[in-house]
PDB file of all heavy atoms in Angstrom:
ATOM      1  N   ALA A1016      -9.655  58.377  -7.421  1.00  0.00           N
ATOM      2  CA  ALA A1016      -9.294  57.306  -6.446  1.00  0.00           C
ATOM      3  C   ALA A1016     -10.491  56.791  -5.666  1.00  0.00           C
ATOM      4  O   ALA A1016     -10.671  55.647  -5.456  1.00  0.00           O
ATOM      5  CB  ALA A1016      -8.189  57.763  -5.573  1.00  0.00           C
ATOM      6  N   ALA A1017     -11.301  57.792  -5.225  1.00  0.00           N
ATOM      7  CA  ALA A1017     -12.506  57.386  -4.440  1.00  0.00           C
ATOM      8  C   ALA A1017     -13.490  56.579  -5.381  1.00  0.00           C
ATOM      9  O   ALA A1017     -14.069  55.602  -4.913  1.00  0.00           O
ATOM     10  CB  ALA A1017     -13.210  58.625  -3.945  1.00  0.00           C
ATOM     11  N   LEU A1018     -13.628  56.978  -6.616  1.00  0.00           N
ATOM     12  CA  LEU A1018     -14.481  56.233  -7.554  1.00  0.00           C
ATOM     13  C   LEU A1018     -13.989  54.795  -7.727  1.00  0.00           C
ATOM     14  O   LEU A1018     -14.737  53.864  -7.740  1.00  0.00           O
ATOM     15  CB  LEU A1018     -14.550  56.944  -8.901  1.00  0.00           C
ATOM     16  CG  LEU A1018     -15.559  58.037  -9.080  1.00  0.00           C
ATOM     17  CD1 LEU A1018     -15.360  58.756 -10.373  1.00  0.00           C
ATOM     18  CD2 LEU A1018     -16.973  57.411  -9.069  1.00  0.00           C
ATOM     19  N   LYS A1019     -12.701  54.680  -7.850  1.00  0.00           N
ATOM     20  CA  LYS A1019     -12.076  53.332  -8.073  1.00  0.00           C
ATOM     21  C   LYS A1019     -12.142  52.473  -6.869  1.00  0.00           C
ATOM     22  O   LYS A1019     -12.433  51.260  -6.952  1.00  0.00           O
ATOM     23  CB  LYS A1019     -10.662  53.493  -8.568  1.00  0.00           C
ATOM     24  CG  LYS A1019     -10.047  52.231  -9.046  1.00  0.00           C
ATOM     25  CD  LYS A1019      -8.708  52.493  -9.721  1.00  0.00           C
ATOM     26  CE  LYS A1019      -8.093  51.154 -10.303  1.00  0.00           C
ATOM     27  NZ  LYS A1019      -6.827  51.408 -10.983  1.00  0.00           N
ATOM     28  N   LEU A1020     -11.948  53.041  -5.699  1.00  0.00           N
ATOM     29  CA  LEU A1020     -11.915  52.265  -4.439  1.00  0.00           C
ATOM     30  C   LEU A1020     -13.406  51.927  -3.972  1.00  0.00           C
ATOM     31  O   LEU A1020     -13.621  50.823  -3.491  1.00  0.00           O
ATOM     32  CB  LEU A1020     -11.231  53.049  -3.325  1.00  0.00           C
ATOM     33  CG  LEU A1020      -9.671  53.100  -3.418  1.00  0.00           C
ATOM     34  CD1 LEU A1020      -9.172  54.063  -2.362  1.00  0.00           C
ATOM     35  CD2 LEU A1020      -9.072  51.745  -3.254  1.00  0.00           C
ATOM     36  N   LEU A1021     -14.203  52.874  -4.125  1.00  0.00           N
ATOM     37  CA  LEU A1021     -15.551  52.708  -3.518  1.00  0.00           C
ATOM     38  C   LEU A1021     -16.693  52.463  -4.507  1.00  0.00           C
ATOM     39  O   LEU A1021     -17.709  51.890  -4.116  1.00  0.00           O
ATOM     40  CB  LEU A1021     -15.922  53.988  -2.742  1.00  0.00           C
ATOM     41  CG  LEU A1021     -14.852  54.478  -1.747  1.00  0.00           C
ATOM     42  CD1 LEU A1021     -15.267  55.818  -1.125  1.00  0.00           C
ATOM     43  CD2 LEU A1021     -14.669  53.469  -0.608  1.00  0.00           C
ATOM     44  N   GLY A1022     -16.493  52.915  -5.750  1.00  0.00           N
ATOM     45  CA  GLY A1022     -17.626  52.817  -6.729  1.00  0.00           C
ATOM     46  C   GLY A1022     -18.399  54.076  -6.724  1.00  0.00           C
ATOM     47  O   GLY A1022     -18.415  54.835  -5.713  1.00  0.00           O
ATOM     48  N   ALA A1023     -19.135  54.298  -7.816  1.00  0.00           N
ATOM     49  CA  ALA A1023     -19.898  55.493  -7.974  1.00  0.00           C
ATOM     50  C   ALA A1023     -21.060  55.610  -6.924  1.00  0.00           C
ATOM     51  O   ALA A1023     -21.329  56.750  -6.447  1.00  0.00           O
ATOM     52  CB  ALA A1023     -20.487  55.600  -9.393  1.00  0.00           C
ATOM     53  N   LYS A1024     -21.716  54.523  -6.626  1.00  0.00           N
ATOM     54  CA  LYS A1024     -22.812  54.591  -5.690  1.00  0.00           C
ATOM     55  C   LYS A1024     -22.418  55.053  -4.357  1.00  0.00           C
ATOM     56  O   LYS A1024     -23.014  55.991  -3.758  1.00  0.00           O
ATOM     57  CB  LYS A1024     -23.551  53.243  -5.674  1.00  0.00           C
ATOM     58  CG  LYS A1024     -24.815  53.222  -4.824  1.00  0.00           C
ATOM     59  CD  LYS A1024     -25.556  51.928  -4.874  1.00  0.00           C
ATOM     60  CE  LYS A1024     -26.792  51.923  -4.007  1.00  0.00           C
ATOM     61  NZ  LYS A1024     -27.703  53.078  -4.349  1.00  0.00           N
ATOM     62  N   GLN A1025     -21.356  54.433  -3.793  1.00  0.00           N
ATOM     63  CA  GLN A1025     -20.950  54.769  -2.409  1.00  0.00           C
ATOM     64  C   GLN A1025     -20.391  56.243  -2.365  1.00  0.00           C
ATOM     65  O   GLN A1025     -20.639  56.966  -1.409  1.00  0.00           O
ATOM     66  CB  GLN A1025     -19.962  53.818  -1.924  1.00  0.00           C
ATOM     67  CG  GLN A1025     -19.614  53.972  -0.419  1.00  0.00           C
ATOM     68  CD  GLN A1025     -18.679  52.867   0.088  1.00  0.00           C
ATOM     69  OE1 GLN A1025     -18.496  51.886  -0.569  1.00  0.00           O
ATOM     70  NE2 GLN A1025     -18.124  53.069   1.290  1.00  0.00           N
ATOM     71  N   LEU A1026     -19.659  56.641  -3.416  1.00  0.00           N
ATOM     72  CA  LEU A1026     -19.122  57.984  -3.444  1.00  0.00           C
ATOM     73  C   LEU A1026     -20.283  59.017  -3.540  1.00  0.00           C
ATOM     74  O   LEU A1026     -20.333  60.052  -2.880  1.00  0.00           O
ATOM     75  CB  LEU A1026     -18.173  58.215  -4.649  1.00  0.00           C
ATOM     76  CG  LEU A1026     -17.617  59.576  -4.819  1.00  0.00           C
ATOM     77  CD1 LEU A1026     -16.853  60.062  -3.540  1.00  0.00           C
ATOM     78  CD2 LEU A1026     -16.683  59.614  -5.971  1.00  0.00           C
ATOM     79  N   LEU A1027     -21.265  58.712  -4.400  1.00  0.00           N
ATOM     80  CA  LEU A1027     -22.418  59.619  -4.505  1.00  0.00           C
ATOM     81  C   LEU A1027     -23.188  59.709  -3.182  1.00  0.00           C
ATOM     82  O   LEU A1027     -23.676  60.763  -2.832  1.00  0.00           O
ATOM     83  CB  LEU A1027     -23.388  59.079  -5.618  1.00  0.00           C
ATOM     84  CG  LEU A1027     -24.604  60.020  -5.888  1.00  0.00           C
ATOM     85  CD1 LEU A1027     -24.188  61.377  -6.440  1.00  0.00           C
ATOM     86  CD2 LEU A1027     -25.588  59.290  -6.788  1.00  0.00           C
ATOM     87  N   THR A1028     -23.272  58.623  -2.497  1.00  0.00           N
ATOM     88  CA  THR A1028     -23.934  58.709  -1.160  1.00  0.00           C
ATOM     89  C   THR A1028     -23.211  59.679  -0.260  1.00  0.00           C
ATOM     90  O   THR A1028     -23.872  60.501   0.428  1.00  0.00           O
ATOM     91  CB  THR A1028     -23.899  57.287  -0.505  1.00  0.00           C
ATOM     92  OG1 THR A1028     -24.601  56.370  -1.346  1.00  0.00           O
ATOM     93  CG2 THR A1028     -24.544  57.258   0.840  1.00  0.00           C
ATOM     94  N   ALA A1029     -21.898  59.669  -0.282  1.00  0.00           N
ATOM     95  CA  ALA A1029     -21.152  60.620   0.587  1.00  0.00           C
ATOM     96  C   ALA A1029     -21.359  62.053   0.083  1.00  0.00           C
ATOM     97  O   ALA A1029     -21.519  62.984   0.885  1.00  0.00           O
ATOM     98  CB  ALA A1029     -19.652  60.287   0.514  1.00  0.00           C
ATOM     99  N   LEU A1030     -21.346  62.226  -1.255  1.00  0.00           N
ATOM    100  CA  LEU A1030     -21.557  63.599  -1.821  1.00  0.00           C
ATOM    101  C   LEU A1030     -22.931  64.142  -1.415  1.00  0.00           C
ATOM    102  O   LEU A1030     -23.042  65.312  -1.017  1.00  0.00           O
ATOM    103  CB  LEU A1030     -21.392  63.581  -3.285  1.00  0.00           C
ATOM    104  CG  LEU A1030     -20.061  63.211  -3.889  1.00  0.00           C
ATOM    105  CD1 LEU A1030     -20.053  63.203  -5.426  1.00  0.00           C
ATOM    106  CD2 LEU A1030     -18.976  64.158  -3.388  1.00  0.00           C
ATOM    107  N   LEU A1031     -23.987  63.282  -1.536  1.00  0.00           N
ATOM    108  CA  LEU A1031     -25.322  63.709  -1.162  1.00  0.00           C
ATOM    109  C   LEU A1031     -25.403  64.027   0.270  1.00  0.00           C
ATOM    110  O   LEU A1031     -26.076  64.982   0.714  1.00  0.00           O
ATOM    111  CB  LEU A1031     -26.322  62.639  -1.574  1.00  0.00           C
ATOM    112  CG  LEU A1031     -26.535  62.429  -3.071  1.00  0.00           C
ATOM    113  CD1 LEU A1031     -27.318  61.186  -3.337  1.00  0.00           C
ATOM    114  CD2 LEU A1031     -27.141  63.633  -3.751  1.00  0.00           C
ATOM    115  N   ASP A1032     -24.770  63.218   1.093  1.00  0.00           N
ATOM    116  CA  ASP A1032     -24.845  63.454   2.538  1.00  0.00           C
ATOM    117  C   ASP A1032     -24.152  64.759   2.898  1.00  0.00           C
ATOM    118  O   ASP A1032     -24.668  65.534   3.705  1.00  0.00           O
ATOM    119  CB  ASP A1032     -24.114  62.285   3.280  1.00  0.00           C
ATOM    120  CG  ASP A1032     -24.326  62.332   4.754  1.00  0.00           C
ATOM    121  OD1 ASP A1032     -25.485  62.314   5.232  1.00  0.00           O
ATOM    122  OD2 ASP A1032     -23.317  62.414   5.499  1.00  0.00           O
TER     123      ASP A1032
END
Side-chain angles (χ1 to χ4, degrees):
L1018 272 170
K1019 191 170 184 179
L1020 286 172
L1021 309 173
K1024 183 173 178 59
Q1025 189 173 347
L1026 177 58
L1027 181 67
T1028 301
L1030 295 180
L1031 291 171
D1032 188 58

